[in-house]
Amino acid sequence: MQQEKKIAIVTDSACDLPDDVLEKYNIRFVPLRLGYKGGEKRDRVEISPDQVYAMLPAEVPKTSLPLPEDVTNVYDKLADEGYTDIIHISISSGLSGTYNMVRMIAADYHQMKIHVVDSKSLSMQEGLIVLNCARRLKETQDIDAIIAYAHTLRQRSAGMFVIRTLEYLRKGGRIGLVEGVFGTM
């Protein structure tokens, strides 16, 4: 007799979905790390978004991959809750090494089947892919259909943003001093 599937959606804290939405759709997340002079903090676990914004004028944090044990802890908890499959939708592989790290962990994790999807985005664009896949999960338990849906959403969406200043991109190391100077002209 084949075990009935119980599927979880997992993402990372870069998805920017509010806590009430994560709870409503039972979406689990792995925290990215934020590095400050005083030490590292796990995003949305040890430091809130409001605290990050409040600290920006004084210090721009360096972002880093989640801890591998944070990933396996989420997976272990889901396995203990009886989940058989995970669809892990990650921040863009082009912006972070998180996707590749999660893929390696998933390949060696044998308690359940883990399907890793590169969102090729971040912030609310990633969050909307995650949210829509969680909504689709309420309609179907077809993992392949949900993964195909994530790929379709990824291909049909375009993320854009406007920034008021290049200061934080420069301080955070995302652009160099020359780009920052020319960009502000």
Side-chain angles (χ1 to χ4, degrees):
M1 188 170 166
Q2 191 174 4
Q3 180 183 3
E4 186 175 323
K5 288 192 183 297
K6 187 174 180 184
I7 306 163
I9 301 283
V10 175
T11 189
D12 48 66
S13 59
C15 76
D16 289 337
L17 289 171
D19 290 339
D20 61 325
V21 172
L22 293 172
E23 289 173 29
K24 178 179 179 178
Y25 290 94
N26 197 25
I27 300 166
R28 310 299 173 92
F29 78 91
V30 177
L32 297 175
R33 293 178 294 158
L34 302 173
Y36 291 96
K37 290 176 189 161
E40 274 189 351
K41 305 272 188 201
R42 292 180 311 153
D43 186 29
R44 297 177 68 162
V45 173
E46 298 168 337
I47 189 167
S48 72
D50 288 340
Q51 290 170 313
V52 172
Y53 293 129
M55 293 171 66
L56 276 178
E59 182 178 4
V60 178
K62 303 283 187 200
T63 57
S64 188
L65 306 175
L67 294 169
E69 54 265 26
D70 284 343
V71 177
T72 55
N73 287 342
V74 169
Y75 293 172
D76 289 344
K77 188 171 187 334
L78 289 167
D80 290 346
E81 292 175 23
Y83 284 87
T84 59
D85 294 83
I86 292 174
I87 300 172
H88 190 136
I89 303 171
S90 174
I91 185 174
S92 174
S93 62
L95 300 171
S96 171
T98 301
Y99 169 76
N100 286 323
M101 183 192 70
V102 167
R103 269 192 12 199
M104 289 189 292
I105 292 170
D108 291 335
Y109 196 88
H110 302 294
Q111 289 180 277
M112 65 185 125
K113 181 75 174 147
I114 302 168
H115 313 266
V116 185
V117 176
D118 184 351
S119 72
K120 297 196 184 281
S121 61
L122 75 156
S123 193
M124 280 308 294
Q125 185 178 2
E126 175 189 359
L128 290 172
I129 292 170
V130 170
L131 176 58
N132 282 296
C133 287
R135 287 177 174 155
R136 181 65 57 98
L137 180 59
K138 290 187 177 283
E139 300 167 7
T140 181
Q141 296 292 296
D142 184 339
I143 293 168
D144 293 332
I146 295 168
I147 293 170
Y149 184 57
H151 290 170
T152 298
L153 291 170
R154 180 180 75 196
Q155 291 168 345
R156 291 184 179 172
S157 65
M160 293 182 230
F161 60 94
V162 175
I163 54 175
R164 292 186 187 135
T165 177
L166 297 176
E167 175 186 4
Y168 300 121
L169 291 175
R170 190 184 57 71
K171 284 182 178 179
R174 296 292 179 196
I175 63 172
L177 179 60
V178 174
E179 292 93 347
V181 170
F182 280 112
T184 56
M185 293 174 127

